[in-house]
Amino acid sequence: MDIDDAGAMAESEGSNVRRRQRASGVMRVVLSFDIEIWCGGWEQLDQKFPAAFERYIYGRSEAGAYALPKTLEILQRHQLQAVFFIEPLFAARFGLKYLEEIVGLIKAAGQDVQLHLHPEWSDEITPLPFPGAAVKRQHLFQYDLEEQTRLIGLGKQLLQQAGGGQAQVFRAGSYAANANTYKALAANGIYLDSSLNNCFANSGQDIPRDNTSNATLDIGEVHCVPVSVYQDGLGCRRPAQISAAGNDELKEAMESALAQGQTDFVVVSHNFEMLKAKTSLPDRLVVNRFENLCAFLAAQAHRFDVGPFRSARSPSLVQAAFPQVSRLATTRRYIEQLRRRF
């Protein structure tokens, strides 16, 4: 069988999968979490890191541990599996034991571990991963192909050494991937990605694609399933992010996407989103949003299939506009946020 025949068979199978999904009225929902640590700046890292690790990974207070442990607890209670994109480069500075601790928490809860990358850690590593790393650059697209290939390879290696297994899916920090990122991923044996986000101008600037829908796409050898975006009741684009979308907005966005025949819907969050800014106290608004979303998805399992990214490549989902939510749902988000201030 030649390459063209194999490609035709894969495309046909992908079409069959999509037709079966649409006929059964089921859409895959991926609950994804970017797991990362921020020390509030790049000065005095060694002094700041222990407290930053404690807050960002555990978030302990008298109310409980509302960072990663609470996320895992809520998922387990509702019997949902999510994807945790772990940023590993910090471990090249502070030691593998911290990364092992994060991976251990997630693996013990039966959740999926994948690779996240914030390359601005690269100049904090000794020895430098490559000479050009001496200049701090925040976004992955600011690195050339060789540098991106080396950074992704280092991240993949660190994650594997910490017990995370072979990464199969990738997300760039700040969604800042470019065309070189996908060549670098393929060079490292990673063929699935969820870096693109149509709400971020730095995301995929040089990648030709439909900017008016959540369509999946093939970029070279890599299949990309973007973070889902919806249009709110005022006509504004918003990412399907737990801290950014109201209770009713996320539900209505998924309902709208399902009605359009979309096959994938990717929700994003972070390990620290259920914490109030600069504290370890729980942000009850975000906690309630996540609880409500998980309860909704568990109750609607016959329509929303929650789980990891599918490994099989398939044709792009229906080229529909961004799913829309009602003005009422958006108004309720504003009311929720107003109450949060008091």
Side-chain angles (χ1 to χ4, degrees):
M1 179 184 296
D2 62 25
I3 294 174
D4 290 339
D5 289 338
M9 285 188 65
E11 182 174 352
S12 175
E13 175 59 25
S15 297
N16 289 336
V17 168
R18 187 174 65 182
R19 281 195 294 270
R20 287 195 296 270
Q21 283 184 302
R22 295 183 66 190
S24 62
V26 178
M27 180 176 70
R28 170 59 61 96
V29 174
V30 179
L31 299 176
S32 65
F33 295 85
D34 294 352
I35 310 302
E36 55 200 47
I37 299 167
W38 170 237
C39 295
W42 298 104
E43 302 296 326
Q44 299 179 320
L45 282 180
D46 294 323
Q47 293 92 327
K48 292 178 179 178
F49 179 78
F53 181 87
E54 174 66 22
R55 176 182 182 267
Y56 275 77
I57 300 307
Y58 291 100
R60 294 187 179 101
S61 70
E62 291 183 358
Y66 272 81
L68 190 53
K70 179 58 70 172
T71 300
L72 295 169
E73 176 205 314
I74 293 171
L75 288 168
Q76 186 174 34
R77 186 168 1 107
H78 293 284
Q79 299 183 321
L80 298 175
Q81 188 173 26
V83 178
F84 289 80
F85 289 100
I86 302 177
E87 204 300 309
L89 292 183
F90 78 90
R93 166 68 180 256
F94 295 107
L96 204 61
K97 65 178 183 178
Y98 296 103
L99 186 58
E100 289 173 339
E101 192 169 340
I102 296 170
V103 170
L105 286 170
I106 295 169
K107 285 283 193 179
Q111 300 293 340
D112 188 44
V113 168
Q114 299 297 342
L115 179 61
H116 189 44
L117 212 66
H118 275 277
E120 60 264 43
W121 278 104
S122 60
D123 69 312
E124 307 294 344
I125 298 170
T126 304
L128 293 173
F130 50 85
V135 178
K136 187 177 290 294
R137 288 165 281 171
Q138 180 179 359
H139 299 302
L140 200 53
F141 65 74
Q142 295 171 312
Y143 297 75
D144 64 28
L145 175 58
E146 181 180 354
E147 291 172 335
Q148 289 196 43
T149 302
R150 294 183 70 170
L151 280 174
I152 291 170
L154 174 60
K156 183 178 178 181
Q157 179 185 10
L158 288 167
L159 194 60
Q160 185 176 13
Q161 289 175 343
Q166 287 279 357
Q168 297 178 321
V169 194
F170 177 78
R171 177 173 291 154
S174 304
Y175 316 106
N178 68 353
N180 278 338
T181 305
Y182 294 91
K183 296 174 185 177
L185 287 172
N188 281 287
I190 299 176
Y191 301 102
L192 273 170
D193 171 79
S194 186
S195 293
L196 299 185
N197 187 326
N198 276 315
C199 285
F200 285 74
N202 284 334
S203 187
Q205 291 176 312
D206 61 348
I207 297 171
R209 67 189 193 278
D210 177 11
N211 289 315
T212 64
S213 81
N214 293 319
T216 62
L217 66 160
D218 293 335
I219 307 170
E221 298 179 72
V222 180
H223 187 60
C224 178
V225 186
V227 172
S228 293
V229 171
Y230 68 92
Q231 184 171 293
D232 74 10
L234 301 178
C236 300
R237 291 183 184 182
R238 293 189 71 82
Q241 183 167 341
I242 292 169
S243 64
N247 278 322
D248 294 335
E249 284 185 311
L250 269 182
K251 296 173 187 176
E252 288 190 14
M254 287 187 286
E255 296 277 7
S256 175
L258 179 63
Q260 290 175 350
Q262 295 189 14
T263 55
D264 301 271
F265 193 96
V266 180
V267 179
V268 67
S269 187
H270 294 79
N271 44 305
F272 50 84
E273 282 192 27
M274 289 196 291
L275 301 176
K276 290 183 178 180
K278 299 180 181 180
T279 77
S280 292
L281 297 172
D283 185 330
R284 293 297 179 184
L285 172 63
V286 182
V287 174
N288 289 338
R289 282 178 179 174
F290 186 45
E291 286 273 14
N292 290 338
L293 175 63
C294 289
F296 170 76
L297 290 171
Q300 297 291 321
H302 58 292
R303 300 168 64 235
F304 300 112
D305 176 24
V306 180
F309 292 90
R310 286 182 288 257
S311 59
R313 292 160 68 96
S314 61
S316 294
L317 54 79
V318 175
Q319 297 289 317
F322 292 127
Q324 298 185 7
V325 306
S326 67
R327 185 180 292 267
L328 178 59
T330 297
T331 300
R332 286 173 174 164
R333 167 166 54 85
Y334 280 102
I335 294 172
E336 290 170 9
Q337 292 171 334
L338 183 62
R339 288 175 175 169
R340 184 193 213 172
R341 298 180 183 179
F342 299 99

